[in-house]
Amino acid sequence: MKLANTLLTNTGTTIFTVMSALAIRHQAINLGQGFPDTDGPADVVAAAAAALQDGRNQYPPLTGVPELRAAVAMANKRFYGLDIDPDTEVVVTSGATEAITAALMALIDPGDEVVLIEPLYDTYLPVVTMLGGVGRLVRLEPPHWTLPRAALEAAFGPRTKAIVLNSPMNPIGKVFTPEELGFIAGLMQKHDAYAVCDEVYEHLVFDGVQHLPLMALPGMRERTLRIGSAGKTFSLTGWKVGYISGPAALMGVVAKAHQNLTFTTPPNLQRAVAVGLAKDDAYFAGLAADLQAKRDHLVAGLETAGFRTLPSGGSYFVLADYSGLDADGDDAAFCMRLAEAAGVVAIPLSAFYVGEKPRHHVRFAFCKRISVLDEAVGRLTRYFAAGQGDGRAALTAAE
Ligand code: PMP
Ligand code: GLN
């Protein structure tokens, strides 16, 4: 028989699914895949329940229900001063995952180059490749993750169609500075390139820093597709409602991509997300403050357990350097051991790199209840204090 699609045949199951399965198998605490362990706002959930019952259960408009498109446009204005036309400049998608694919489909022709920044989220490169595009990878390095300006400049060229920019950035928690964004904007203008901005963590920014969309910079309004996710903004990751804002000239093409991918997204969830986006400032401030407190709590615990954490300015995640606990250097093997013997799941940083793999870093998700974070830290502390060989025994003895 003829072979199925080569790229997908050779693609492994995503690390997030692999590690969540491991957590279940070993009854480990899952600080791997990024999802909160509490429900999102009750009024948003109630709005979805009510919207299931009022008879609007058939196909909604292709680009999204009017309520949500209006709410996305209003949020762009309210948070970033961006003027977006809800009728021609917003497309609602089934999660940011679809939004990323639709945005890239709208931009990329075979042979086009797309600048990607490592460590990178797992869908970017496969989608670019499926579209016949060529990923041009630029590496950020721990511990400072500074934008390597010369390397970035070298990655742009006459064939560059777009850059994918994720800020706040999964998995490292980097929030790009206005200067870095300005530098990227300059390269885009010089090379007549677009940006796909994955801003799913836009409301999860800490320490008083404000999220700045690349789209808000001079000259970027017409070159940028900005992606948000209700999953992250309302702690409802299973809902898979995303939204793209961009210039009308591009959004018509994005709508065509969406029409071939999913065509529409459940109308009830869309209407509930519209309720969510209209919530008061206290909600958005509270969301970030709550996560910041959880970050601080987990960071303190990991440091006590012997990890060296790296700064995280946004997202659900913090990276930890474990070289003081295990000099062996294979982060995937380290994560397997943590799951099996310590009873805690983390994600190896190497999973986010295509090129040379970094060593000694794992990603922990802190979007969990404080009691769960405490239990995870307790397990890690006991495991490393007991000597790693008989971690399970140490655990059992201690529990
Ligand atoms: N982009 C990034 C950087 C993410 O971390 C995630 C994870 N959920 C997504 C996109 C996908 O978002 P959604 O669940 O809305 O599809
Ligand atoms: N974005 C989530 C993470 O980084 C995972 C989403 C998924 O499992 N695809 O953990």
Side-chain angles (χ1 to χ4, degrees):
M1 298 224 312
K2 286 179 180 158
L3 294 178
N5 175 270
T6 321
L7 181 87
L8 295 178
T9 304
N10 294 328
T11 299
T13 303
T14 154
I15 187 75
F16 310 117
T17 299
V18 170
M19 296 312 283
S20 283
L22 208 62
I24 292 168
R25 188 170 340 127
H26 296 290
Q27 296 181 326
I29 296 178
N30 190 354
L31 303 187
Q33 192 178 28
F35 59 90
D37 61 354
T38 47
D39 229 350
D43 53 351
V44 176
V45 175
L52 275 170
Q53 306 228 317
D54 68 0
R56 283 172 60 187
N57 286 299
Q58 308 310 328
Y59 294 130
L62 184 154
T63 55
V65 300
E67 297 95 314
L68 181 52
R69 281 187 279 114
V72 169
M74 271 172 53
N76 271 300
K77 184 73 180 169
R78 169 181 168 191
F79 293 110
Y80 313 119
L82 291 165
D83 288 304
I84 298 287
D85 177 354
D87 293 325
T88 58
E89 298 192 314
V90 176
V91 171
V92 177
T93 56
S94 292
T97 308
E98 189 206 333
I100 292 161
T101 299
L104 289 168
M105 280 173 78
L107 293 173
I108 305 307
D109 275 322
D112 284 347
E113 292 184 0
V114 180
V115 177
L116 302 170
I117 300 177
E118 284 183 282
L120 43 74
Y121 187 61
D122 64 344
T123 72
Y124 301 161
L125 184 58
V127 171
V128 167
T129 310
M130 286 281 279
L131 293 168
V134 179
R136 294 290 307 265
L137 301 178
V138 175
R139 278 174 81 90
L140 303 186
E141 300 283 355
H144 300 300
W145 310 111
T146 317
L147 189 69
R149 296 190 182 207
L152 189 67
E153 192 159 11
F156 274 78
R159 301 177 73 166
T160 306
K161 184 61 91 56
I163 179 172
V164 178
L165 185 68
N166 176 212
S167 180
M169 188 171 170
N170 180 3
I172 61 177
K174 176 182 172 74
V175 177
F176 283 73
T177 64
E179 293 71 30
E180 287 172 328
L181 295 177
F183 183 75
I184 292 168
L187 289 176
M188 287 166 58
Q189 273 174 320
K190 182 171 168 201
H191 295 279
D192 186 19
Y194 297 100
V196 174
C197 292
D198 179 346
E199 300 182 9
V200 298
Y201 300 107
E202 62 187 317
H203 294 294
L204 312 184
V205 181
F206 313 133
D207 309 314
V209 174
Q210 296 295 312
H211 174 67
L212 175 63
L214 180 69
M215 185 186 263
L217 269 61
M220 290 296 104
R221 174 69 173 76
E222 299 307 310
R223 296 190 172 276
T224 303
L225 295 171
R226 198 178 89 73
I227 295 170
S229 166
K232 307 294 166 2
T233 299
F234 302 106
S235 310
L236 295 162
T237 59
W239 279 24
K240 301 298 287 187
V241 177
Y243 22 87
I244 315 180
S245 311
L250 288 182
M251 292 309 291
V253 190
V254 170
K256 306 265 177 55
H258 173 61
Q259 114 188 346
N260 287 332
L261 284 166
T262 57
F263 174 48
T264 55
T265 297
N268 335 81
L269 297 180
Q270 290 194 48
R271 289 163 63 199
V273 171
V275 170
L277 284 174
K279 283 175 81 68
D280 60 11
D281 292 347
Y283 167 76
F284 293 92
L287 176 71
D290 177 58
L291 273 166
Q292 180 176 324
K294 288 174 171 169
R295 175 202 63 181
D296 293 345
H297 199 83
L298 181 63
V299 162
L302 290 173
E303 292 281 337
T304 309
F307 290 89
R308 289 292 155 264
T309 57
L310 279 67
S312 167
S315 81
Y316 283 153
F317 310 112
V318 62
L319 285 183
D321 180 336
Y322 63 84
S323 44
L325 294 167
D326 181 335
D328 150 347
D330 182 336
D331 59 357
F334 180 77
C335 284
M336 291 300 248
R337 260 200 318 280
L338 277 196
E340 288 167 14
V344 177
V345 161
I347 303 279
L349 175 61
S350 60
F352 297 83
Y353 281 82
V354 178
E356 191 194 333
K357 306 290 186 193
R359 295 294 175 195
H360 304 300
H361 295 89
V362 294
R363 188 194 81 173
F364 288 99
F366 48 76
C367 46
K368 306 291 173 182
R369 282 164 293 154
I370 293 286
S371 59
V372 172
L373 298 177
D374 281 341
E375 173 63 21
V377 166
R379 289 185 181 196
L380 292 169
T381 308
R382 292 196 293 275
Y383 172 63
F384 289 111
Q388 301 169 40
D390 60 349
R392 262 296 178 205
L395 267 179
T396 319
E399 271 161 7

mmCIF file of all heavy atoms in Angstrom, residues 34 94-98 100 121 124 166 168 170 198 200-201 228-232 237 240-242 317 363, ligand 1:
data_model
loop_
_atom_site.group_PDB
_atom_site.id
_atom_site.type_symbol
_atom_site.label_atom_id
_atom_site.label_comp_id
_atom_site.label_asym_id
_atom_site.label_seq_id
_atom_site.Cartn_x
_atom_site.Cartn_y
_atom_site.Cartn_z
ATOM 1 N N GLY A 34 0.023 22.335 30.273
ATOM 2 C CA GLY A 34 -0.440 23.567 30.905
ATOM 3 C C GLY A 34 -1.953 23.697 30.912
ATOM 4 O O GLY A 34 -2.545 24.155 29.936
ATOM 5 N N SER A 94 -11.402 27.504 16.313
ATOM 6 C CA SER A 94 -11.475 26.475 17.357
ATOM 7 C C SER A 94 -10.138 26.388 18.064
ATOM 8 O O SER A 94 -9.300 25.532 17.785
ATOM 9 C CB SER A 94 -11.907 25.147 16.740
ATOM 10 O OG SER A 94 -13.253 25.270 16.304
ATOM 11 N N GLY A 95 -9.928 27.311 18.970
ATOM 12 C CA GLY A 95 -8.684 27.393 19.728
ATOM 13 C C GLY A 95 -7.616 28.177 18.981
ATOM 14 O O GLY A 95 -7.719 28.409 17.762
ATOM 15 N N ALA A 96 -6.614 28.588 19.745
ATOM 16 C CA ALA A 96 -5.467 29.257 19.122
ATOM 17 C C ALA A 96 -4.733 28.293 18.203
ATOM 18 O O ALA A 96 -4.087 28.707 17.245
ATOM 19 C CB ALA A 96 -4.530 29.791 20.198
ATOM 20 N N THR A 97 -4.850 27.009 18.482
ATOM 21 C CA THR A 97 -4.182 26.017 17.632
ATOM 22 C C THR A 97 -4.672 26.143 16.194
ATOM 23 O O THR A 97 -3.873 26.195 15.256
ATOM 24 C CB THR A 97 -4.461 24.596 18.174
ATOM 25 O OG1 THR A 97 -4.116 24.572 19.566
ATOM 26 C CG2 THR A 97 -3.658 23.552 17.434
ATOM 27 N N GLU A 98 -5.986 26.214 16.028
ATOM 28 C CA GLU A 98 -6.503 26.411 14.672
ATOM 29 C C GLU A 98 -6.103 27.792 14.144
ATOM 30 O O GLU A 98 -5.782 27.939 12.957
ATOM 31 C CB GLU A 98 -8.033 26.273 14.602
ATOM 32 C CG GLU A 98 -8.493 26.274 13.148
ATOM 33 C CD GLU A 98 -9.923 26.759 12.915
ATOM 34 O OE1 GLU A 98 -10.780 26.644 13.799
ATOM 35 O OE2 GLU A 98 -10.160 27.276 11.806
ATOM 36 N N ILE A 100 -3.446 29.514 14.659
ATOM 37 C CA ILE A 100 -2.051 29.516 14.182
ATOM 38 C C ILE A 100 -2.006 28.898 12.779
ATOM 39 O O ILE A 100 -1.391 29.446 11.853
ATOM 40 C CB ILE A 100 -1.159 28.709 15.159
ATOM 41 C CG1 ILE A 100 -1.053 29.430 16.505
ATOM 42 C CG2 ILE A 100 0.227 28.454 14.551
ATOM 43 C CD1 ILE A 100 -0.608 28.526 17.650
ATOM 44 N N TYR A 121 6.883 26.458 20.231
ATOM 45 C CA TYR A 121 5.672 25.686 20.513
ATOM 46 C C TYR A 121 5.505 24.621 19.432
ATOM 47 O O TYR A 121 5.826 24.852 18.261
ATOM 48 C CB TYR A 121 4.463 26.634 20.565
ATOM 49 C CG TYR A 121 3.213 25.942 21.025
ATOM 50 C CD1 TYR A 121 3.151 25.361 22.286
ATOM 51 C CD2 TYR A 121 2.108 25.850 20.196
ATOM 52 C CE1 TYR A 121 2.009 24.694 22.702
ATOM 53 C CE2 TYR A 121 0.967 25.196 20.617
ATOM 54 C CZ TYR A 121 0.925 24.619 21.863
ATOM 55 O OH TYR A 121 -0.200 23.960 22.275
ATOM 56 N N TYR A 124 4.160 24.957 15.430
ATOM 57 C CA TYR A 124 4.593 25.949 14.437
ATOM 58 C C TYR A 124 5.318 25.317 13.240
ATOM 59 O O TYR A 124 4.951 25.525 12.084
ATOM 60 C CB TYR A 124 5.531 27.001 15.046
ATOM 61 C CG TYR A 124 4.992 27.821 16.196
ATOM 62 C CD1 TYR A 124 5.869 28.493 17.055
ATOM 63 C CD2 TYR A 124 3.626 27.952 16.435
ATOM 64 C CE1 TYR A 124 5.403 29.269 18.110
ATOM 65 C CE2 TYR A 124 3.161 28.723 17.500
ATOM 66 C CZ TYR A 124 4.058 29.371 18.327
ATOM 67 O OH TYR A 124 3.603 30.134 19.375
ATOM 68 N N ASN A 166 5.824 34.497 19.742
ATOM 69 C CA ASN A 166 5.012 34.069 20.878
ATOM 70 C C ASN A 166 5.445 34.855 22.123
ATOM 71 O O ASN A 166 6.509 34.619 22.672
ATOM 72 C CB ASN A 166 5.209 32.550 21.079
ATOM 73 C CG ASN A 166 4.481 32.001 22.297
ATOM 74 O OD1 ASN A 166 4.950 31.048 22.922
ATOM 75 N ND2 ASN A 166 3.348 32.559 22.631
ATOM 76 N N PRO A 168 3.628 36.585 25.775
ATOM 77 C CA PRO A 168 4.576 35.845 26.591
ATOM 78 C C PRO A 168 4.829 34.455 26.003
ATOM 79 O O PRO A 168 3.939 33.854 25.412
ATOM 80 C CB PRO A 168 3.892 35.741 27.949
ATOM 81 C CG PRO A 168 2.907 36.861 27.993
ATOM 82 C CD PRO A 168 2.460 37.032 26.568
ATOM 83 N N ASN A 170 5.845 30.571 25.688
ATOM 84 C CA ASN A 170 5.873 29.195 26.170
ATOM 85 C C ASN A 170 7.087 28.532 25.521
ATOM 86 O O ASN A 170 7.234 28.634 24.305
ATOM 87 C CB ASN A 170 4.574 28.501 25.717
ATOM 88 C CG ASN A 170 4.471 27.058 26.140
ATOM 89 O OD1 ASN A 170 5.332 26.540 26.826
ATOM 90 N ND2 ASN A 170 3.401 26.411 25.705
ATOM 91 N N ASP A 198 1.368 34.903 18.355
ATOM 92 C CA ASP A 198 0.674 33.990 19.255
ATOM 93 C C ASP A 198 0.700 34.636 20.636
ATOM 94 O O ASP A 198 1.714 34.579 21.340
ATOM 95 C CB ASP A 198 1.391 32.639 19.225
ATOM 96 C CG ASP A 198 0.757 31.622 20.156
ATOM 97 O OD1 ASP A 198 -0.056 32.015 21.018
ATOM 98 O OD2 ASP A 198 1.105 30.426 20.028
ATOM 99 N N VAL A 200 -1.488 34.024 23.240
ATOM 100 C CA VAL A 200 -2.479 33.330 24.078
ATOM 101 C C VAL A 200 -2.318 33.675 25.556
ATOM 102 O O VAL A 200 -3.285 33.629 26.309
ATOM 103 C CB VAL A 200 -2.459 31.788 23.891
ATOM 104 C CG1 VAL A 200 -2.808 31.392 22.469
ATOM 105 C CG2 VAL A 200 -1.145 31.176 24.317
ATOM 106 N N TYR A 201 -1.106 34.051 25.966
ATOM 107 C CA TYR A 201 -0.879 34.382 27.390
ATOM 108 C C TYR A 201 -0.923 35.884 27.633
ATOM 109 O O TYR A 201 -0.343 36.375 28.596
ATOM 110 C CB TYR A 201 0.453 33.776 27.852
ATOM 111 C CG TYR A 201 0.477 32.269 27.724
ATOM 112 C CD1 TYR A 201 1.222 31.638 26.721
ATOM 113 C CD2 TYR A 201 -0.273 31.464 28.576
ATOM 114 C CE1 TYR A 201 1.217 30.255 26.584
ATOM 115 C CE2 TYR A 201 -0.290 30.087 28.439
ATOM 116 C CZ TYR A 201 0.458 29.481 27.442
ATOM 117 O OH TYR A 201 0.437 28.119 27.320
ATOM 118 N N GLY A 228 -5.496 35.298 20.066
ATOM 119 C CA GLY A 228 -5.802 35.130 21.486
ATOM 120 C C GLY A 228 -6.507 33.805 21.718
ATOM 121 O O GLY A 228 -6.976 33.156 20.775
ATOM 122 N N SER A 229 -6.595 33.400 22.996
ATOM 123 C CA SER A 229 -7.238 32.126 23.343
ATOM 124 C C SER A 229 -8.100 32.287 24.578
ATOM 125 O O SER A 229 -7.613 32.685 25.642
ATOM 126 C CB SER A 229 -6.167 31.062 23.616
ATOM 127 O OG SER A 229 -6.739 29.938 24.266
ATOM 128 N N ALA A 230 -9.393 31.952 24.438
ATOM 129 C CA ALA A 230 -10.279 31.986 25.603
ATOM 130 C C ALA A 230 -9.844 30.941 26.627
ATOM 131 O O ALA A 230 -10.024 31.124 27.829
ATOM 132 C CB ALA A 230 -11.717 31.720 25.166
ATOM 133 N N GLY A 231 -9.263 29.854 26.157
ATOM 134 C CA GLY A 231 -8.805 28.809 27.072
ATOM 135 C C GLY A 231 -7.896 29.374 28.144
ATOM 136 O O GLY A 231 -8.035 29.057 29.335
ATOM 137 N N LYS A 232 -6.971 30.227 27.725
ATOM 138 C CA LYS A 232 -6.000 30.795 28.661
ATOM 139 C C LYS A 232 -6.593 31.977 29.422
ATOM 140 O O LYS A 232 -6.360 32.155 30.606
ATOM 141 C CB LYS A 232 -4.754 31.272 27.902
ATOM 142 C CG LYS A 232 -4.131 30.228 27.021
ATOM 143 C CD LYS A 232 -3.574 29.123 27.871
ATOM 144 C CE LYS A 232 -3.198 27.875 27.229
ATOM 145 N NZ LYS A 232 -3.163 27.369 26.033
ATOM 146 N N THR A 237 -9.375 25.641 29.309
ATOM 147 C CA THR A 237 -8.564 25.231 28.154
ATOM 148 C C THR A 237 -9.269 24.219 27.248
ATOM 149 O O THR A 237 -8.941 24.128 26.070
ATOM 150 C CB THR A 237 -7.202 24.653 28.595
ATOM 151 O OG1 THR A 237 -7.432 23.524 29.441
ATOM 152 C CG2 THR A 237 -6.371 25.691 29.335
ATOM 153 N N LYS A 240 -11.502 25.434 23.717
ATOM 154 C CA LYS A 240 -10.939 25.622 22.375
ATOM 155 C C LYS A 240 -11.685 26.694 21.564
ATOM 156 O O LYS A 240 -12.262 26.438 20.507
ATOM 157 C CB LYS A 240 -10.938 24.286 21.601
ATOM 158 C CG LYS A 240 -10.157 23.176 22.266
ATOM 159 C CD LYS A 240 -8.682 23.463 22.424
ATOM 160 C CE LYS A 240 -7.946 23.397 21.110
ATOM 161 N NZ LYS A 240 -6.470 23.526 21.344
ATOM 162 N N VAL A 241 -11.668 27.880 22.117
ATOM 163 C CA VAL A 241 -12.157 29.044 21.369
ATOM 164 C C VAL A 241 -10.984 30.015 21.246
ATOM 165 O O VAL A 241 -10.415 30.443 22.257
ATOM 166 C CB VAL A 241 -13.344 29.739 22.069
ATOM 167 C CG1 VAL A 241 -13.773 30.993 21.275
ATOM 168 C CG2 VAL A 241 -14.522 28.780 22.218
ATOM 169 N N GLY A 242 -10.602 30.307 20.011
ATOM 170 C CA GLY A 242 -9.533 31.268 19.765
ATOM 171 C C GLY A 242 -10.045 32.395 18.888
ATOM 172 O O GLY A 242 -11.177 32.327 18.373
ATOM 173 N N PHE A 317 4.117 28.979 33.020
ATOM 174 C CA PHE A 317 5.276 28.093 33.167
ATOM 175 C C PHE A 317 6.503 28.758 33.777
ATOM 176 O O PHE A 317 6.751 29.949 33.580
ATOM 177 C CB PHE A 317 5.672 27.546 31.793
ATOM 178 C CG PHE A 317 4.510 26.959 31.036
ATOM 179 C CD1 PHE A 317 4.035 27.565 29.881
ATOM 180 C CD2 PHE A 317 3.857 25.831 31.504
ATOM 181 C CE1 PHE A 317 2.946 27.043 29.189
ATOM 182 C CE2 PHE A 317 2.767 25.291 30.823
ATOM 183 C CZ PHE A 317 2.306 25.901 29.659
ATOM 184 N N ARG A 363 10.395 22.151 32.393
ATOM 185 C CA ARG A 363 9.335 23.150 32.535
ATOM 186 C C ARG A 363 8.282 22.646 33.507
ATOM 187 O O ARG A 363 7.771 21.534 33.348
ATOM 188 C CB ARG A 363 8.679 23.392 31.163
ATOM 189 C CG ARG A 363 7.686 24.544 31.153
ATOM 190 C CD ARG A 363 6.812 24.530 29.904
ATOM 191 N NE ARG A 363 5.706 23.595 30.031
ATOM 192 C CZ ARG A 363 4.705 23.475 29.149
ATOM 193 N NH1 ARG A 363 4.687 24.233 28.067
ATOM 194 N NH2 ARG A 363 3.735 22.599 29.333
HETATM 195 N N1 PMP B 1 0.058 28.688 21.574
HETATM 196 C C1 PMP B 1 0.738 28.492 22.710
HETATM 197 C C2 PMP B 1 2.041 29.174 22.907
HETATM 198 C C3 PMP B 1 0.237 27.642 23.676
HETATM 199 O O1 PMP B 1 0.930 27.437 24.802
HETATM 200 C C4 PMP B 1 -0.973 26.995 23.454
HETATM 201 C C5 PMP B 1 -1.401 26.008 24.485
HETATM 202 N N2 PMP B 1 -2.537 25.826 24.792
HETATM 203 C C6 PMP B 1 -1.676 27.243 22.261
HETATM 204 C C7 PMP B 1 -1.115 28.085 21.338
HETATM 205 C C8 PMP B 1 -2.983 26.601 21.918
HETATM 206 O O2 PMP B 1 -4.069 27.257 22.477
HETATM 207 P P1 PMP B 1 -5.570 26.668 22.343
HETATM 208 O O3 PMP B 1 -5.732 25.714 23.479
HETATM 209 O O4 PMP B 1 -6.465 27.859 22.453
HETATM 210 O O5 PMP B 1 -5.666 25.991 21.037
#
